[in-house]
Amino acid sequence: MNTQQLRGLGRAPCTGCHRRSLVIRNVAEATRPAVVSTNGKARAGVPEGTPIVTPQDLPSRPRRNRRSETFRSAIRECIVSPANFILPIFVHEEGSTNIPIASMPGIFRLAYGKNVIDYVAEARSYGVNQVVVFPKTPDHLKTPTAEEAFNPNGLSQRTIRLLKDNFPDLEVYTDVALDPYNSDGHDGIVSDAGVILNDETIEYLCRQAVSQAQAGADVVSPSDMMDGRVGAIRRALDREGFTNVSIMSYTAKYASAYYGPFRDALASAPKPGQAHRRIPPNKKTYQMDPANYREAVREAKADEAEGADIMMVKPGMPYLDVVRLLRETSPLPVAVYHVSGEYAMLKAAAERGWLNEKDAVLEAMTCFRRAGADLILTYYGIEASKWLAGEK
């Protein structure tokens, strides 16, 4: 293409260079003079061949607010802090050593006693002062009606007392559901016909919540998804004098494929049925359909009306739209559970060198906050807090 043809396209040839530097004019500013290099030489500080253009007449350039880390930090809209984290802890008493959970690298069933105290003390040293307790119930204590759930000397209740005795200002959350204690592996009592009994289950959930409050729990957290359980638990707590114990409801808990490693940790997956009993193979008759969005509003309105203090969405990353929905629907604090499957995926990718674990995890935590979550239940609680503190 010759010089005359280049000029016809709005481009000027540059002589004296091994490669041609092109001056490109915006069509809308074709009447303005192009910027040319001095003496036909390429500009310093840019790669040879970089186009020389007329600066755009832009009153607003958003990139000005991204120019330095100092300024980006100053105007950052969502801040992640260890104060936002609730650390899940799995507890067992089948020996004195911690048991690694194969599908959750770096996470253990903690041996009841000193190991639990040491783990929580480490979390507190990095600013994480909230935990939620999940007990691993021995099989011989599991029954179809799960009475171990409200045993005042059960593992969950003893763990709560242990934590509050050692850390009086620790915020202790509990799990209110029957599946860790149910020999059928469901959150509620299962009839012989395979129906999860709603109202009968709630009676035992109320007893469970009261027993946890008596042990010293600050927040009871019904994860069972039975209809009406928040109101029933609130009345039971108030009746026993626990008006200051809060309820964090699993408001939008979906029947998700991301729970597999958690069920490994507690051996709480649904069990096969028997000749005379039909056991549902999944929890789809009480947990929400992953395809549903508007249904979360119905659940949120019910929980708020029944006395929930905090509403939770579970799982986390695949359901950020639901987190935002609850944030915009209710004035209540919103929690989100960064579940075991999400943790396992990040760990697996990081172990293979496919992701920068620190950057990916902190981005995920930021996304939860940006979507509207006030509280984040995450197995990365300690690691993320170390990274936030600047540790490698």
Side-chain angles (χ1 to χ4, degrees):
M1 185 175 289
N2 59 35
T3 299
Q4 186 173 1
Q5 290 172 317
L6 282 170
R7 287 182 175 138
L9 292 172
R11 302 176 181 176
C14 176
T15 58
C17 301
H18 293 293
R19 293 181 59 185
R20 295 178 181 271
S21 293
L22 304 180
V23 177
I24 303 175
R25 295 182 183 176
N26 298 322
V27 174
E29 301 177 356
T31 59
R32 296 179 61 184
V35 177
V36 295
S37 57
T38 305
N39 298 324
K41 295 182 179 179
R43 292 173 297 161
V46 298
E48 184 180 357
T50 299
I52 303 172
V53 301
T54 301
Q56 298 183 74
D57 185 9
L58 294 178
S60 175
R61 289 181 180 261
R63 287 185 60 189
R64 284 195 287 260
N65 287 349
R66 305 172 194 147
R67 66 182 181 273
S68 71
E69 176 56 29
T70 296
F71 196 67
R72 289 193 299 272
S73 298
I75 64 172
R76 189 159 289 142
E77 298 175 32
C78 298
I79 305 298
V80 179
S81 161
N84 301 122
F85 298 151
I86 301 173
L87 180 66
I89 58 172
F90 300 113
V91 183
H92 79 96
E93 52 182 351
E94 298 169 356
S96 60
T97 60
N98 295 339
I99 300 174
I101 300 168
S103 54
M104 300 177 70
I107 301 299
F108 298 81
R109 294 177 188 158
L110 304 174
Y112 173 80
K114 184 178 183 300
N115 290 11
V116 173
I117 295 170
D118 290 346
Y119 188 70
V120 173
E122 180 186 12
R124 283 165 56 90
S125 73
Y126 289 99
V128 180
N129 201 41
Q130 303 183 93
V131 300
V132 56
V133 176
F134 294 105
K136 167 61 173 68
T137 306
D139 287 345
H140 73 274
L141 294 178
K142 295 182 180 182
T143 64
T145 47
E147 289 91 348
E148 182 65 17
F150 47 89
N151 179 355
N153 293 311
L155 180 56
S156 176
Q157 289 80 356
R158 283 184 284 119
T159 301
I160 295 166
R161 289 195 289 268
L162 176 72
L163 291 172
K164 296 301 285 189
D165 287 346
N166 283 273
F167 312 109
D169 65 331
L170 178 71
E171 196 79 1
V172 176
Y173 295 69
T174 67
D175 178 47
V176 180
L178 301 187
D179 53 327
Y181 317 92
N182 188 333
S183 55
D184 296 325
H186 276 281
D187 294 46
I189 300 169
V190 185
S191 75
D192 289 349
V195 176
I196 312 301
L197 302 176
N198 193 91
D199 297 2
E200 294 85 347
T201 293
I202 288 176
E203 169 63 26
Y204 277 3
L205 296 177
C206 289
R207 297 188 193 185
Q208 181 183 19
V210 168
S211 75
Q212 293 169 348
Q214 290 169 336
D218 299 288
V219 186
V220 297
S221 310
S223 63
D224 57 288
M225 293 300 287
M226 299 296 114
D227 294 338
R229 90 278 203 207
V230 171
I233 290 171
R234 181 73 273 161
R235 291 188 295 273
L237 291 171
D238 292 352
R239 187 168 55 246
E240 297 297 325
F242 297 107
T243 56
N244 289 329
V245 172
S246 300
I247 296 176
M248 178 173 70
S249 174
Y250 285 59
T251 296
K253 181 179 181 181
Y254 286 84
S256 172
Y258 287 89
Y259 302 151
F262 178 95
R263 291 171 183 168
D264 292 343
L266 295 184
S268 61
K271 304 300 189 292
Q274 301 171 4
H276 67 290
R277 298 192 73 224
R278 179 179 175 270
I279 307 300
N282 55 56
K283 302 186 177 185
K284 294 181 179 180
T285 64
Y286 49 101
Q287 295 179 357
M288 287 177 57
D289 187 332
N292 290 358
Y293 175 78
R294 297 189 307 273
E295 186 181 8
V297 176
R298 183 181 185 187
E299 293 282 359
K301 288 181 177 179
D303 284 357
E304 186 174 346
E306 291 176 22
D309 299 287
I310 307 164
M311 296 193 293
M312 188 206 292
V313 176
K314 182 182 180 182
M317 289 294 285
Y319 295 87
L320 292 181
D321 58 331
V322 182
V323 174
R324 171 52 58 181
L325 176 65
L326 264 59
R327 170 77 292 139
E328 295 177 347
T329 299
S330 172
L332 294 180
V334 175
V336 64
Y337 203 140
H338 188 224
V339 300
S340 58
E342 299 172 73
Y343 173 89
M345 290 192 300
L346 284 170
K347 277 292 183 183
E351 287 177 353
R352 288 160 177 76
W354 296 343
L355 285 177
N356 179 305
E357 185 176 19
K358 171 188 171 183
D359 291 348
V361 169
L362 294 183
E363 182 179 341
M365 301 301 114
T366 301
C367 290
F368 292 137
R369 296 283 287 135
R370 190 191 67 233
D374 303 288
L375 300 166
I376 305 168
L377 288 78
T378 178
Y379 303 99
Y380 272 112
I382 294 178
E383 285 178 282
S385 297
K386 289 180 179 179
W387 292 328
L388 289 169
E391 290 195 14
K392 298 294 186 183

